């Protein structure tokens, strides 16, 4: 069966959809927060294309990177810089443009602005000034990795996004203990040159049996998504030098709950979990989270957490 769509049909469908999107409401004096491709230029949506084309100016994290995307899509809208080092000044300039009735689009280098990327300060300033903010959703490395991992389900859709791990090992281990104690998959970003060290710290903190998904080069030609126990992660990385290249999303899968008949707030694993939770949570919240993770009675865990906190403070 020939799966190729004749150019005339494809062109007609594209034109019809483009006309429908163009006919939607595009208010002036509005900030359009636009998600852009995370690697594959084909992932820019029709609505994002229209928003970028209709804007009077595009505020970009890196104007050179954004210009390449705009050129590929035939978008000639002028650019202005809005990155983490000038975000306050950029926000003021954007509000001035909105006061003149302009449409302003906000983009980051890839993915969703204001989500582990610059942009949140601009959004807050625009909203505080009384102007409309319209999100135009699209590509996301977090969602793409979750989609390819199977770490969540419709019965249990919870997950946590932690962003980038700290650069130094001691701080990273403290950070990992806090995040990985949560009763849900934890999504994080890591750079290629720190990936090996991060995997070693994850093994120390979470143990060899905890499942990890490594997603690299998402949406690109050499995309790779693997799920394996942490005991095998270092070996997988070392088996092929190409595996250390690219951009990485890591998903630490939720720990398996302990069987109810083995509930014991004083066992070492529960103690480690409570100590990690108490670094950032109250005794009550630590007991609540630990109960969800282990299946043990909350009252017993509360008593154990209270005792551990008292000992730590003495």
């Amino acid at each position: 069966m020939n799966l190729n769509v004749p150019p005339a049909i494809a062109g007609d469908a594209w034109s019809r959809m483009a006309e429908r999107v163009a006919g939607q409401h595009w208010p002036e004096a509005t900030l359009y927060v636009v998600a852009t491709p995370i690697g594959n230029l084909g992932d820019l949506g029709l609505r994002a294309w229209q928003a970028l084309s209709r804007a009077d100016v595009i505020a970009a994290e890196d104007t050179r990177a954004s210009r390449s995307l705009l050129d590929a899509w035939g978008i000639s809208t002028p650019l202005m810089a809005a990155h983490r080092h000038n975000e306050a000044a950029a926000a003021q300039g954007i509000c001035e443009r909105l006061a003149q009735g302009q449409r302003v689009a906000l983009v980051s280098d890839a993915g969703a602005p204001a989500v582990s990327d610059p942009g949140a300060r601009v959004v807050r300033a625009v909203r505080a000034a009384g102007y409309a903010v319209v999100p135009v959703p699209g590509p996301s490395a977090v969602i793409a990795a979750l989609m390819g991992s199977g770490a969540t389900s419709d019965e249990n859709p919870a997950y946590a996004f932690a962003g980038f791990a700290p650069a130094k090992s001691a701080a990273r281990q403290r950070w990992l203990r806090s995040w990985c104690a949560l009763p849900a998959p934890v999504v994080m970003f890591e750079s290629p040159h720190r990936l090996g060290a991060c995997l070693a710290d994850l093994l120390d903190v979470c143990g060899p049996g905890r499942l990890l998904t490594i997603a690299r080069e998402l949406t690109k030609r050499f995309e790779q998504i693997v799920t394996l126990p942490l005991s095998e992660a270092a070996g997988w990385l070392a088996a092929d030098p190409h595996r250390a290249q690219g951009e990485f999303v890591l998903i630490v899968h939720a720990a398996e709950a302990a069987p109810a008949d083995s509930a014991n707030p004083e066992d070492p694993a529960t103690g480690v979990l409570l100590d990690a939770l108490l670094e950032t949570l109250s005794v009550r919240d630590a007991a609540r989270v630990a109960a969800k993770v282990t299946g043990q009675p909350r009252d017993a865990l509360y008593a154990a957490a209270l005792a551990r906190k008292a000992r730590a403070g003495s």
Side-chain angles (χ1 to χ4, degrees):
M1 183 174 66
N2 184 5
L3 298 180
N4 292 324
V5 179
I9 296 176
D12 288 345
W14 177 270
S15 297
R16 286 196 303 272
M17 285 303 302
E19 288 176 6
R20 290 183 63 177
V21 174
Q24 295 175 1
H25 185 47
W26 297 96
E28 299 177 342
T30 296
L31 177 70
Y32 294 86
V33 186
V34 182
T36 55
I38 59 175
N40 192 317
L41 289 175
D43 287 339
L44 188 74
L46 265 177
R47 187 162 168 247
W49 174 55
Q50 284 282 346
L52 297 174
S53 299
R54 290 171 175 273
D56 294 285
V57 68
I58 298 171
E61 180 182 3
D62 184 329
T63 55
R64 291 172 298 180
S66 294
R67 177 48 65 194
S68 297
L69 170 68
L70 300 181
D71 288 346
W73 278 86
I75 299 169
S76 57
T77 306
L79 289 159
M80 62 175 285
H83 46 74
R84 60 174 42 93
H85 302 297
N86 79 332
E87 200 167 353
Q92 181 178 349
I94 289 170
C95 287
E96 291 172 357
R97 287 177 175 271
L98 296 175
Q100 299 168 17
Q102 294 187 20
R103 299 183 184 94
V104 179
L106 177 67
V107 301
S108 58
D109 288 353
V115 182
S116 195
D117 269 337
R121 183 179 292 184
V122 171
V123 171
R124 290 194 298 268
V126 167
R127 292 176 61 87
Y131 298 106
V133 176
V134 174
V136 182
S140 163
V142 173
I143 299 301
L146 285 168
M147 290 168 65
S149 71
T152 60
S153 67
D154 52 348
E155 297 89 1
N156 185 16
Y159 69 90
F161 173 52
F164 277 96
K168 295 187 177 180
S169 181
R172 185 167 53 239
Q173 289 202 17
R174 287 193 299 271
W175 185 86
L176 289 171
R177 277 195 295 271
S178 177
W179 280 106
C180 296
L182 296 175
V186 179
V187 186
M188 62 190 72
F189 294 156
E190 192 51 276
S191 60
H193 65 280
R194 289 204 300 263
L195 180 61
C198 184
L199 294 180
D201 286 340
L202 275 168
L203 180 62
D204 287 343
V205 169
C206 298
R210 191 80 165 263
L211 288 180
L212 175 74
T213 292
I214 305 173
R216 58 179 292 269
E217 293 292 86
L218 287 170
T219 77
K220 300 176 184 177
R221 180 182 178 185
F222 297 108
E223 175 181 274
Q224 204 170 13
I225 303 173
V226 297
T227 299
L228 67 179
L230 273 166
S231 60
E232 300 175 12
W236 175 87
L237 182 64
D240 184 343
H242 292 101
R243 292 176 180 173
Q245 299 172 4
E247 297 176 330
F248 290 86
V249 182
L250 305 179
I251 303 176
V252 183
H253 291 233
E256 292 187 7
D261 56 6
S262 66
N264 177 12
E266 295 301 326
D267 83 281
T270 301
V272 170
L273 173 62
L274 287 172
D275 288 342
L277 293 172
L278 287 168
E279 290 183 7
T280 54
L281 299 177
S282 67
V283 170
R284 184 182 66 179
D285 288 343
R288 175 177 55 80
V289 172
K292 289 185 178 180
V293 172
T294 65
Q296 299 179 28
R298 187 185 300 186
D299 291 346
L301 290 165
Y302 181 89
L306 194 63
R308 298 185 80 87
K309 190 173 182 68
R311 287 197 297 269
S314 61

